[in-house]
Amino acid sequence: MNNLKKVADHRHQSYITYGPEVLLFTMMLKNMTGLKSMRNMSESFNKEECIKNVGKVLGLDSLEELPHYDTINDFLSGLDVNELEKIRTYMIKELLKKRSLESYRIEGKYWGVIIDGTGLHTFHEKHCKHCLRRAYTNKETGETNVLYMHHVLEAKLVVGDMVFSIASEFIENESENVSKQDCELKAFDRLAKKIKKIFKRLPICILGDSLYACETVFNLCRAHKWKYICRFKEGRIKSISTEFKAIKELEQSKDQNSLVWVNDIAYKDRTVNLMEATMKTEDGKSKEYVFITDIKITKKNVERLIAAGRSRWKIENQGFNEQKIIVTI
Ligand SMILES: [Zn+2]
């Protein structure tokens, strides 16, 4: 709570009734309870019992009313995002210090961090100079239009069925005249630097989708001393999939196992390890999941590594609202 109190306040100090901690805590309650609108929040929370409880949590016995949503909006509109990021970093570091989540480390060592791009807003007209642009053709009219978008790339710490956002990076263009637009992989480079700066010595294993199965990411992980487990799709890196297939066929003739793995496939100046699991999907069909990693695969750890690789898929398919609560705190 002390951290909430210390958030820099841009408002004129002689006119304020509520400190940043009341405004932010009310907002956190709104997100935690899943209320969609600010108006709804004002109506649901301004009841004696609720005011009393918030007062108790914040140590403010004198609290008589909760702030109106206009007051909160005014405060948030001038708030520096870094202020909230500082709190998030503090919370994550405290959480890790408690050592109660140790059992979720991959191979007893690495913290799984999912990298996940999410669309925030889409507009049909230019919104600002940082918008990402995507041209599309309307099938009925044949007209070509441009969509303007804002995306964010999130790094999320996975601990069992929970995820905690630990860092974010906007995917946006520096200006309107850029020759090449910003993209997820460029944003990942910036996000990785951010994570490394905040969590210098944290042993991390990046969990990425097939877009991340590429040399740029392998190099970044090596530079930051992280591991990776990424989904691997045929064709992402041709030479690797050809070699994996060839060795797999030899192996499979010996053993009809649903789990196959091959270590030390040479790729440029490194070797990579691949594993494949055949799993039943919800409609009863079987589907192959292939993952690429720089962690040595053994008979003992193959199932755990595949489960770690799949954790991002599981979370992606969870209700987005549940995640959003964690992201917006
Ligand atoms: Zn914009």
Side-chain angles (χ1 to χ4, degrees):
M1 285 309 146
N2 265 334
N3 283 290
L4 293 183
K5 236 180 252 178
K6 279 188 265 172
V7 164
D9 195 340
H10 66 96
R11 298 169 302 163
H12 198 296
Q13 294 304 301
S14 52
Y15 297 122
I16 65 168
T17 317
Y18 302 101
E21 77 275 25
V22 184
L23 303 174
L24 288 169
F25 191 74
T26 309
M27 208 48 208
M28 280 162 71
L29 273 184
K30 170 190 171 276
N31 288 333
M32 282 190 264
T33 48
L35 289 176
K36 294 273 184 292
S37 80
M38 295 290 274
R39 189 186 297 271
N40 207 330
M41 171 193 75
S42 291
E43 282 164 13
S44 322
F45 289 170
N46 260 320
K47 291 180 183 127
E48 206 172 324
E49 204 182 7
C50 183
I51 301 167
K52 240 186 182 168
N53 283 334
V54 173
K56 246 184 209 160
V57 174
L58 297 172
L60 296 168
D61 298 333
S62 56
L63 195 70
E64 281 173 5
E65 218 177 324
L66 288 178
H68 188 265
Y69 60 83
D70 279 340
T71 315
I72 301 181
N73 278 339
D74 171 50
F75 170 72
L76 291 177
S77 66
L79 181 67
D80 182 353
V81 184
N82 291 322
E83 290 291 318
L84 295 183
E85 286 192 345
K86 272 195 273 180
I87 299 179
R88 170 168 70 180
T89 302
Y90 166 82
M91 286 166 73
I92 298 294
K93 285 192 171 169
E94 284 299 301
L95 197 67
L96 293 172
K97 252 195 241 165
K98 292 197 168 69
R99 302 184 71 84
S100 51
L101 303 169
E102 296 293 305
S103 60
Y104 294 112
R105 290 193 190 210
I106 298 168
E107 292 311 279
K109 186 167 182 192
Y110 304 101
W111 294 101
V113 172
I114 295 176
I115 307 296
D116 196 16
T118 313
L120 290 177
H121 306 286
T122 305
F123 309 94
H124 286 280
E125 269 158 39
K126 192 186 117 183
H127 150 269
C128 72
K129 61 180 182 182
H130 304 295
C131 286
L132 297 173
R133 300 177 297 270
R134 187 187 294 153
Y136 71 99
T137 310
N138 187 322
K139 273 186 192 139
E140 278 167 28
T141 61
E143 239 178 293
T144 300
N145 291 308
V146 179
L147 275 184
Y148 297 87
M149 298 163 299
H150 277 247
H151 288 209
V152 67
L153 195 62
E154 290 270 341
K156 297 170 182 168
L157 181 74
V158 200
V159 280
D161 288 335
M162 292 185 289
V163 283
F164 299 101
S165 171
I166 61 167
S168 327
E169 178 66 33
F170 289 104
I171 311 174
E172 57 184 21
N173 294 331
E174 249 171 58
S175 71
E176 250 177 281
N177 331 319
V178 285
S179 55
K180 249 187 139 183
Q181 296 204 66
D182 197 15
C183 66
E184 199 166 321
L185 285 178
K186 279 200 233 168
F188 175 64
D189 183 16
R190 303 192 299 270
L191 182 65
K193 286 193 178 93
K194 223 183 220 179
I195 301 170
K196 191 70 192 174
K197 205 173 154 200
I198 307 173
F199 304 99
K200 271 183 207 79
R201 280 178 292 273
L202 198 69
I204 284 174
C205 178
I206 296 292
L207 306 172
D209 63 19
S210 57
L211 176 76
Y212 289 79
C214 67
E215 209 189 354
T216 318
V217 174
F218 302 158
N219 284 340
L220 271 173
C221 285
R222 181 154 66 184
H224 294 313
K225 299 194 169 65
W226 297 338
K227 298 286 177 189
Y228 61 82
I229 303 175
C230 298
R231 186 81 189 274
F232 186 82
K233 283 190 181 155
E234 211 186 319
R236 188 73 180 116
I237 304 174
K238 198 83 198 169
S239 68
I240 296 179
S241 56
T242 312
E243 190 162 346
F244 178 59
K245 256 192 192 163
I247 302 176
K248 192 178 79 175
E249 267 158 34
L250 286 172
E251 298 277 315
Q252 264 182 333
S253 56
K254 286 187 262 165
D255 185 2
Q256 284 300 321
N257 208 324
S258 63
L259 291 171
V260 197
W261 66 95
V262 178
N263 282 307
D264 299 323
I265 296 179
Y267 175 61
K268 301 210 170 164
D269 64 341
R270 59 167 55 78
T271 60
V272 295
N273 313 321
L274 268 79
M275 52 198 168
E276 181 185 273
T278 309
M279 293 186 191
K280 287 253 181 299
T281 54
E282 271 173 21
D283 49 8
K285 288 179 193 151
S286 28
K287 197 174 171 190
E288 273 114 37
Y289 291 90
V290 183
F291 296 95
I292 186 165
T293 177
D294 55 350
I295 300 176
K296 194 91 174 165
I297 307 166
T298 64
K299 193 171 183 167
K300 249 176 133 177
N301 72 9
V302 62
E303 279 183 52
R304 288 198 302 267
L305 292 183
I306 285 175
R310 276 173 57 87
S311 59
R312 68 158 293 126
W313 174 85
K314 257 185 4 206
I315 285 159
E316 237 171 50
N317 285 282
Q318 263 177 22
F320 183 67
N321 276 333
E322 291 158 45
Q323 276 187 50
K324 215 170 164 187
I325 294 168
I326 297 163
V327 173
T328 45
I329 281 178

